[in-house]
Amino acid sequence: MVQKAYKIRLYPTPDQQVLLARTFGCMRWFWNQMLTMHISRYVNNPKAKFINTFGMNNLLKRLKEEYPWLKDVDSSAFQCVSRDLNDAYQRFFKGQNERPKFKKRKYAQSYRTKSGSIKIIDDHHIQLPILKQVYFRAGRLPQGRIINATVRINSAGQYYASVLVESENQALPKTGKQVGGDLGLKALLNLSDGYKEPIHHYEDKLASKLHYWERRAARRRREAKKAIAWDEHNKVPVPRQLSDFKNYQKARVMVAKYKQKIKNQREDQLHKLTTTMVRNYDVIVLEKLNVKAMMKNHKLARAIGNASWAKLVTMLLYKCEWYDKQLIQIAPYYTSQLCAHCGKNNHRLGLNKSEWLSVREWDCPSCGTHLDRDVNAAQNILARGLA
Ligand SMILES: [Zn+2]
């Protein structure tokens, strides 16, 4: 059995949007209530026994009597909150995390629901607790037994659900082929069979629109911050709320929308590439990434961020698991300077590191083979992975 997450875009009706806003609010409220309870118990008596998921769910029953409005929203979502808070504390006790924090109202909000009533009704309708049928669009329909769904609104005001399902391992037919891949900056990925996946600069295409709205948002924010309202009651000037400024809010939403668009396009490309790879090859060999070290290099950081290497590796890891293929990650040493044809280490042809980096094609001094730098590296990676 494997678990898969499907991301779908939700289009709730105005009534459903009200219910969603209320649910986000209730879950945040419940989290903060429980967190306050844990903290004050600890302050009163550091040796007091920690109240776990089960205990918090029991407290919820009493809270519902005191605050009847809690009964209007999805009850399974509260249980997910208890569970999450419990898990956050357990990680904190083990020293893996900081102490859980209070949740503040932000533009992006979410909740998780795990009721057995979650169902995909047809190509465009999902059944969710309390909300009933919600219209959605998805590239691929969630298939399998639904475990839970996380509903969120992003800062562009768009609704998404991440639906987690469990299904039989869907092995793809074996092709008997293996491939090595060299992650690069000229091309996103070079394969040992010569294929090069280009780096698309989606942000450049949308840059003028994005920058236009970013400038407007910044200017309107500055203006809004300067605005003063008169407090009739106390007879004092007070700053006005940012939420009062419709034009600022519009610009902010447009910025978020363009950022989301860029992100979606990049993810689409990575999904298509990784799906093709697991279909075509049984074994895929890549270099092990050191993302932290790469990000420290500020000049490269933007390019690497764009190239989304880490995301590509993550996708391959789970897709290989779903479809019963194999991903091997090897240590990245000397993969570019060995000749894949004769195996000789050519020691960068005597060039220094930066000179060597600019060499795109070369002839092996030992066997005379003409080599494409990146394809040669991909072939070395494949050979090392299979060794
Ligand atoms: Zn050679």
Side-chain angles (χ1 to χ4, degrees):
M1 290 297 241
V2 287
Q3 293 192 351
K4 294 189 198 184
Y6 292 86
K7 194 175 173 189
I8 62 178
R9 173 96 184 259
L10 299 178
Y11 296 87
T13 64
D15 286 348
Q16 288 172 332
Q17 292 180 19
V18 172
L19 276 171
L20 282 167
R22 198 178 292 162
T23 313
F24 294 138
C26 282
M27 295 314 138
R28 188 176 56 242
W29 182 87
F30 182 53
W31 171 282
N32 289 342
Q33 284 284 314
M34 291 296 104
L35 188 52
T36 308
M37 178 274 292
H38 287 305
I39 292 170
S40 54
R41 265 174 74 88
Y42 180 79
V43 170
N44 293 336
N45 175 14
K47 287 190 179 128
K49 193 168 171 283
F50 178 77
I51 294 184
N52 61 13
T53 311
F54 183 74
M56 284 189 268
N57 286 339
N58 267 334
L59 288 171
L60 173 65
K61 286 179 201 153
R62 266 176 264 157
L63 283 174
K64 279 185 175 174
E65 283 160 27
E66 199 176 339
Y67 306 101
W69 41 270
L70 293 174
K71 292 180 192 162
D72 298 342
V73 299
D74 186 348
S75 60
S76 76
F78 288 108
Q79 289 163 12
C80 292
V81 172
S82 307
R83 171 94 168 268
D84 289 346
L85 185 55
N86 178 70
D87 293 352
Y89 259 106
Q90 297 309 329
R91 285 194 298 272
F92 167 61
F93 293 147
K94 285 181 198 152
Q96 297 164 339
N97 257 35
E98 283 181 50
R99 183 186 290 279
K101 291 194 173 73
F102 286 98
K103 289 198 192 293
K104 289 180 190 148
R105 192 185 180 289
K106 279 188 205 145
Y107 296 112
Q109 303 179 74
S110 71
Y111 76 92
R112 196 166 80 250
T113 170
K114 57 170 187 184
S115 155
S117 67
I118 304 171
K119 256 197 319 233
I120 301 293
I121 298 167
D122 58 37
D123 288 4
H124 289 296
H125 292 91
I126 181 170
Q127 166 111 13
L128 289 168
I130 306 289
L131 297 165
K132 304 202 174 82
Q133 286 192 23
V134 183
Y135 182 84
F136 75 90
R137 278 159 179 268
R140 283 189 310 145
L141 275 190
Q143 310 232 332
R145 192 181 69 81
I146 295 176
I147 299 168
N148 65 41
T150 304
V151 181
R152 60 171 50 90
I153 179 172
N154 67 16
S155 47
Q158 299 161 333
Y159 293 86
Y160 286 92
S162 179
V163 182
L164 187 69
V165 304
E166 190 177 61
S167 62
E168 296 290 338
N169 204 336
Q170 294 166 341
L172 279 169
K174 296 284 184 276
T175 61
K177 290 201 283 183
Q178 300 113 2
V179 77
D182 179 48
L183 294 158
L185 294 173
K186 289 269 179 224
L188 172 63
L189 181 67
N190 303 278
L191 295 184
S192 51
D193 60 10
Y195 174 77
K196 290 171 188 267
E197 174 77 12
I199 293 179
H200 294 304
H201 291 277
Y202 299 110
E203 59 280 291
D204 294 348
K205 282 183 201 155
L206 290 169
S208 61
K209 282 175 183 157
L210 177 60
H211 291 162
Y212 172 81
W213 286 109
E214 272 175 344
R215 277 199 311 274
R216 301 203 111 186
R219 194 184 67 228
R220 287 169 175 174
R221 192 186 160 82
R222 279 198 304 276
E223 285 164 6
K225 285 271 180 194
K226 277 188 252 164
I228 298 290
W230 186 254
D231 182 339
E232 266 311 316
H233 183 71
N234 296 314
K235 306 287 180 212
V236 287
V238 289
R240 283 176 60 189
Q241 294 291 316
L242 267 180
S243 53
D244 293 346
F245 292 86
K246 290 271 167 356
N247 282 334
Y248 165 67
Q249 292 302 335
K250 186 186 169 201
R252 180 188 65 73
V253 167
M254 291 305 285
V255 169
K257 266 191 182 155
Y258 279 112
K259 284 189 174 162
Q260 183 72 39
K261 205 166 189 166
I262 292 166
K263 200 176 151 212
N264 288 349
Q265 286 177 334
R266 187 165 295 132
E267 277 192 10
D268 278 354
Q269 183 197 1
L270 291 175
H271 271 303
K272 281 188 188 130
L273 171 65
T274 49
T275 300
T276 310
M277 287 172 75
V278 292
R279 254 181 228 291
N280 290 347
Y281 305 102
D282 296 346
V283 181
I284 298 164
V285 189
L286 295 178
E287 287 177 314
K288 203 169 266 160
L289 291 179
N290 186 346
V291 177
K292 264 187 192 156
M294 293 188 310
M295 286 301 182
K296 268 184 201 149
N297 186 333
H298 291 294
K299 216 173 159 189
L300 282 179
R302 188 182 124 91
I304 291 164
N306 291 351
S308 326
W309 293 350
K311 207 163 217 171
L312 184 132
V313 172
T314 311
M315 284 181 182
L316 280 177
L317 275 171
Y318 70 74
K319 286 186 185 180
C320 283
E321 201 191 313
W322 292 355
Y323 300 116
D324 200 23
K325 301 287 176 114
Q326 198 185 356
L327 177 70
I328 300 173
Q329 289 180 278
I330 56 136
Y333 298 120
Y334 310 119
T335 50
S336 70
Q337 47 188 296
L338 294 173
C339 167
H341 190 70
C342 68
K344 185 149 181 359
N345 186 338
N346 289 292
H347 305 285
R348 302 181 197 148
L349 306 171
L351 301 169
N352 71 32
K353 204 169 181 179
S354 66
E355 285 167 341
W356 171 241
L357 271 174
S358 62
V359 172
R360 307 310 312 168
E361 292 173 36
W362 50 289
D363 293 314
C364 172
S366 192
C367 69
T369 310
H370 184 70
L371 302 162
D372 174 294
R373 179 204 180 87
D374 300 318
V375 175
N376 177 60
Q379 288 169 348
N380 284 325
I381 289 166
L382 173 62
R384 196 173 300 169
L386 298 179

